[in-house]
């Protein structure tokens, strides 16, 4: 065990009513308060967070492989609404009720879709991918990223083919090359690096189509209505994070009624692992209040 992530306590998969399966991993007590993690880009159920904190806080942390990643059955052409429907079924079948949700990195819009669909009791967005295709961000994006976003919006099928060329090694290299020193201290921790690489390798075990579909959905315009989210929402960014949001979630928070934004100094995109307990503790409190 290390300070950032540890091995799952339980692993499995659940068959959905239509016959597909969703893979999942759990940490913490099996009778704990359910917290469902929508993990980041191209990672699988194997990478959790909150070593020590989940047990101390009585959290049953559940991480789910999105369709086509890890051991979850592919679902070509899936939408955010399809994912929310899958999670609704998973919650019923696994006895999760209305769990608190954590959306990390590229998992953020998927968690927001679940919250908008009424599945969550509370939500924490941590280092979340922002809606960079929103017109308000056009002038704030670097030219290369702006071009990729415009390409994705204009030709999502072609963009999906492009992203399907990515590999686990390419994702690792991209993260390592684009992260500040404070994040690299987490990512290069030997135990964390082993867990992260395993999560990447498993995510690509069926190929890159699942990652490609995720990325096209996340980089395009989001079809759900953020101002209809009624559960408590906290939005967390590291002050050194230069990749996930042009404005550290300020616009995102303004679009969600009552959302609170937190910017944490001294960390970037590794915030979820470096500051797990400060994220989890208020999430549990708000889930209890809304429940």
């Amino acid at each position: 065990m290390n300070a950032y992530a540890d091995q799952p306590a339980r692993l499995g998969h659940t068959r959905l009513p239509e016959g597909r399966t969703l893979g999942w991993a759990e940490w913490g007590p099996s009778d704990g308060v359910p917290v469902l993690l929508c993990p980041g880009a191209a990672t699988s159920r194997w990478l959790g967070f909150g070593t020590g904190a989940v047990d101390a806080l009585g959290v049953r942390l559940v991480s789910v492989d999105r369709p086509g990643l890890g051991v979850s059955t592919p679902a070509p052409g899936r939408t955010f609404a399809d994912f929310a429907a899958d999670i609704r079924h998973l919650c019923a079948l696994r006895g999760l009720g209305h769990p608190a949700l954590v959306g990390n990195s590229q998992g953020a819009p998927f968690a927001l879709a679940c919250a908008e669909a009424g599945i969550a009791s509370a939500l924490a967005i941590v280092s979340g991918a922002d809606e960079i295709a929103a017109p308000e961000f056009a002038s704030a994006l670097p030219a290369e990223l702006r071009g990729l976003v415009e390409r994705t919006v204009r030709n999502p099928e072609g963009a999906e083919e492009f992203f399907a060329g990515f590999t686990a090694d390419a994702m690792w290299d991209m993260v390592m090359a684009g992260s500040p020193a404070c994040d690299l201290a987490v990512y290069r921790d030997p135990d964390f690096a082993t867990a992260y690489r395993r999560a990447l390798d498993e995510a690509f075990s069926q190929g890159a189509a699942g990652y490609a579909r995720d990325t096209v959905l996340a980089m395009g315009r989001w079809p759900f209505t953020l101002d209809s989210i009624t559960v408590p929402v906290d939005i967390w960014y590291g002050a050194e994070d230069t990749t996930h949001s042009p404005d550290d979630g300020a616009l995102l928070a303004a679009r969600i009624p009552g959302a609170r934004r937190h910017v944490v100094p001294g960390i970037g995109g590794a915030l979820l692992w470096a500051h797990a307990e400060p994220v989890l503790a208020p999430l549990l409190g708000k889930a209890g209040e809304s429940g």
Side-chain angles (χ1 to χ4, degrees):
M1 182 182 294
N2 59 62
Y4 304 119
D6 56 8
Q7 294 289 315
R10 296 169 294 278
L11 282 170
H13 54 84
T14 295
R15 185 172 297 276
L16 301 173
E18 67 180 67
R20 289 183 297 111
T21 62
L22 287 183
W24 49 263
E26 294 190 359
W27 294 258
S30 58
D31 60 351
V33 179
V35 175
L36 192 144
L37 171 65
C38 293
T43 55
S44 70
R45 59 184 178 161
W46 275 94
L47 187 60
F49 72 98
T51 294
V54 291
D55 287 303
L57 295 171
V59 168
R60 176 189 176 188
L61 179 66
V62 184
S63 181
V64 180
D65 288 340
R66 289 188 287 278
L69 280 76
V71 298
S72 290
T73 308
R78 61 184 164 87
T79 65
F80 284 117
D82 293 332
F83 178 74
D86 286 351
I87 295 301
R88 191 184 300 279
H89 288 306
L90 180 72
C91 288
L93 293 167
R94 295 286 301 155
L96 302 178
H98 288 274
L101 261 63
V102 176
N104 177 237
S105 188
Q106 193 163 278
F110 295 93
L112 286 163
C114 290
E116 194 264 351
I119 294 167
S121 58
L123 172 63
I125 297 297
V126 186
S127 307
D130 212 332
E131 190 181 8
I132 53 177
E136 295 90 337
F137 287 144
S139 63
L141 301 179
E144 183 177 357
L145 178 56
R146 183 170 65 250
L148 186 57
V149 170
E150 291 171 352
R151 173 183 176 183
T152 300
V153 172
R154 183 176 61 252
N155 181 14
E157 293 81 8
E160 198 162 338
E161 290 180 9
F162 169 74
F163 291 122
F166 277 61
T167 65
D169 286 341
M171 291 299 301
W172 172 265
D173 291 344
M174 184 171 66
V175 171
M176 295 302 109
S179 298
C182 54
D183 288 346
L184 292 175
V186 176
Y187 299 150
R188 289 175 175 164
D189 174 271
D191 291 330
F192 183 87
T194 298
Y196 191 14
R197 286 306 306 252
R198 180 171 189 169
L200 287 171
D201 290 341
E202 186 178 70
F204 282 95
S205 62
Q206 302 184 71
Y211 162 72
R213 186 61 185 165
D214 275 2
T215 304
V216 166
L217 291 173
M219 290 189 68
R221 292 306 310 269
W222 298 349
F224 39 86
T225 307
L226 293 175
D227 62 9
S228 68
I229 294 175
T230 59
V231 298
V233 178
D234 281 291
I235 296 176
W236 298 82
Y237 285 93
E240 304 302 315
D241 189 344
T242 60
T243 61
H244 289 104
S245 173
D247 63 357
D248 291 336
L251 178 61
L252 181 61
R255 296 168 64 193
I256 303 172
R260 295 188 59 196
R261 185 174 69 111
H262 314 265
V263 179
V264 181
I267 195 66
L271 173 62
L272 183 64
W273 298 281
H275 297 277
E277 188 165 355
V279 170
L280 278 172
L283 179 67
L284 295 180
K286 292 179 180 181
E289 291 170 7
S290 65

